[in-house]
């Protein structure tokens, strides 16, 4: 998990957790790109540890693995049959990812439908996501409304919720591109468990501009604005207030690096303890999958029966 995932999505999940909150590790989605089976196996439980280390509490909310609840794959098919090829091929993320590879998988095209199912199975009213997922959330709403109109009211139509700052954390080396785990340069992405030395190096080397003024202005100063938003997301201040306190890029970067190191250190300590205990992680997702299936099953059955399946 990188800093964009945490600030854009996971930190909101932690804030919203409760008895009716469901979070899953989307291992089926991971198959849309080439991934070594051993790596997927290892990364799935690792992702559970990362989420718990970030603050999700399995006593408070439900944490499970997508493929352990078969209704996700089943509802996917029903929803594919109410979604058009045109809608999917217009998705920005699909166009970007497909343009970077030959012979992309059909799953890369249909992934937003699986995601719609992930949401609709739980009657979710709110889905906390980063800015890059807004379009997929909008498609989920279109699919749900179309289904309800065609087959009778079955699904809750969800809305996306986003953090006020850092809904789109940008790559530190290319601030015109979002921070991501796949394509960025090694210096562009801060991972949650980077060493303090790496965090410092990445922040100190972050691309800025030559005008030298610390000002919050995405249009003309994307590099500095990105740093200010990251900074603001760990304080109670706005990016503008932080900008007023600094006159030199170097001072801003040094303080931000220190703030990040201090803020992320407890996550790493919790993560390192959790990964040493796979049986605990397995028991969390076993309980979570049972609870998730008990909610998703009836919703799937309603949808299947509304479409005429006996
Ligand atoms: P993904 O990296 O596509 O698995 O995304 C997982 C979650 O993190 C989604 O809710 C995304 O919207 C969010 N996310 C991913 N990258 C960023 C980013 N650079 N800034 C903010 N949120 C992000």
């Amino acid at each position: 998990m990188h800093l964009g995932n945490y600030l854009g999505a996971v930190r909101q999940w932690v804030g919203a957790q409760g008895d009716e909150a469901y979070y899953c590790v989307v291992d089926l989605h991971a198959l849309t790109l080439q991934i070594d089976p051993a790596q997927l196996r290892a990364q799935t439980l690792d992702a559970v540890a990362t989420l718990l280390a970030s603050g999700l509490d399995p006593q408070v909310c439900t944490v499970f693995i997508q493929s352990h609840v078969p209704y996700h794959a089943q509802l996917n098919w029903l929803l594919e049959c109410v979604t058009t090829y045109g809608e999917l091929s217009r998705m920005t993320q699909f166009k970007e990812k497909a343009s970077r590879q030959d012979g992309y998988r059909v799953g890369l095209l249909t992934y937003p439908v699986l995601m719609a199912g992930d949401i609709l199975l739980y009657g979710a009213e709110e889905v906390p996501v980063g800015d890059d997922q807004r379009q997929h959330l909008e498609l989920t709403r279109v699919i749900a409304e179309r289904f309800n109109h065609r087959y009778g009211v079955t699904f809750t139509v969800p809305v996306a919720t986003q953090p006020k700052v850092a809904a789109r954390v940008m790559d530190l080396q290319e601030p015109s591109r979002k921070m991501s785990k796949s394509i960025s340069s090694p210096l562009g992405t801060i991972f949650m468990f980077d060493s303090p030395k790496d965090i410092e190096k990445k922040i100190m080397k972050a691309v800025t501009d030559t005008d030298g003024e610390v000002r919050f202005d995405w249009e003309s100063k994307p590099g500095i604005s990105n740093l200010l938003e990251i900074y603001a997301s760990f304080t109670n201040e706005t990016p503008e207030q932080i900008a007023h306190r600094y006159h030199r890029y170097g001072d801003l970067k040094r303080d931000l690096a220190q703030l990040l190191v201090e803020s992320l250190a407890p996550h790493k300590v919790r993560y390192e303890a959790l990964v040493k205990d796979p049986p605990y992680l397995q028991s969390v997702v076993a309980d979570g999958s049972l609870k998730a299936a008990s909610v998703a099953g009836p919703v799937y059955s309603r949808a299947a029966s509304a479409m005429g399946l006996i």
Side-chain angles (χ1 to χ4, degrees), residues 2 4-5 8-9 128-133 166-169 178-179 181:
H2 58 74
N5 298 135
V129 284
D131 185 61
D132 59 334
Q133 289 293 342
R168 180 176 285 259
V169 178
K178 71 171 181 171
M179 187 177 280
K181 44 193 167 253

Side-chain angles (χ1 to χ4, degrees), residues 245-263:
R245 284 198 279 114
Y246 287 96
H247 301 291
R248 293 218 302 259
Y249 292 174
D251 295 340
L252 170 71
K253 285 179 166 180
R254 225 178 345 268
D255 286 356
L256 173 58
Q258 196 187 342
L259 179 64
L260 275 175
V261 167
E262 282 166 12
S263 306

Side-chain angles (χ1 to χ4, degrees), residues 203-218:
I203 294 291
M204 295 313 288
K205 286 187 185 286
V207 166
T208 52
D209 52 65
T210 51
D211 112 330
E213 188 193 352
V214 181
R215 185 159 41 87
F216 185 58
D217 175 356
W218 274 107

Side-chain angles (χ1 to χ4, degrees), residues 3-172:
L3 192 62
N5 298 135
Y6 177 64
L7 295 178
V10 175
R11 201 166 61 163
Q12 296 189 83
W13 302 357
V14 173
Q17 63 183 323
D19 189 39
E20 294 201 314
Y22 293 82
Y23 303 109
C24 69
V25 171
V26 287
D27 55 346
L28 295 176
H29 282 287
L31 299 173
T32 55
L33 299 172
Q34 178 57 35
I35 183 163
D36 175 57
Q39 193 190 350
L40 178 57
R41 223 167 274 133
Q43 285 186 351
T44 301
L45 268 199
D46 194 87
V48 176
T50 304
L51 292 177
L52 302 191
S54 302
L56 287 188
D57 179 351
Q59 304 292 333
V60 175
C61 64
T62 304
V63 180
F64 65 101
I65 292 174
Q66 185 186 30
S67 67
H68 291 182
V69 179
Y71 305 114
H72 290 250
Q74 285 178 272
L75 184 63
N76 174 59
W77 179 253
L78 304 191
L79 297 183
E80 279 191 18
C81 296
V82 290
T83 310
T84 68
Y85 173 79
E87 283 166 332
L88 294 177
S89 57
R90 279 196 296 275
M91 292 291 114
T92 310
Q93 213 171 84
F94 166 70
K95 286 194 285 192
E96 274 171 17
K97 288 191 176 167
S99 70
R100 291 201 300 268
Q101 48 185 290
D102 290 331
Y104 55 80
R105 296 150 197 229
V106 176
L108 193 67
L109 176 73
T110 58
Y111 138 97
V113 184
L114 182 61
M115 174 171 158
D118 297 338
I119 294 165
L120 300 178
L121 279 173
Y122 299 91
E125 288 162 2
E126 294 184 356
V127 188
V129 284
D131 185 61
D132 59 334
Q133 289 293 342
R134 277 177 83 96
Q135 195 182 33
H136 292 159
L137 239 295
E138 203 37 57
L139 180 67
T140 300
R141 290 169 56 81
V142 169
I143 294 173
E145 277 165 358
R146 184 177 300 147
F147 191 102
N148 287 348
H149 179 72
R150 216 173 263 175
Y151 300 108
V153 176
T154 306
F155 297 123
T156 303
V157 181
V159 293
T161 58
Q162 295 198 335
K164 285 198 185 70
V165 283
R168 180 176 285 259
V169 178
M170 307 309 278
D171 186 289
L172 297 174

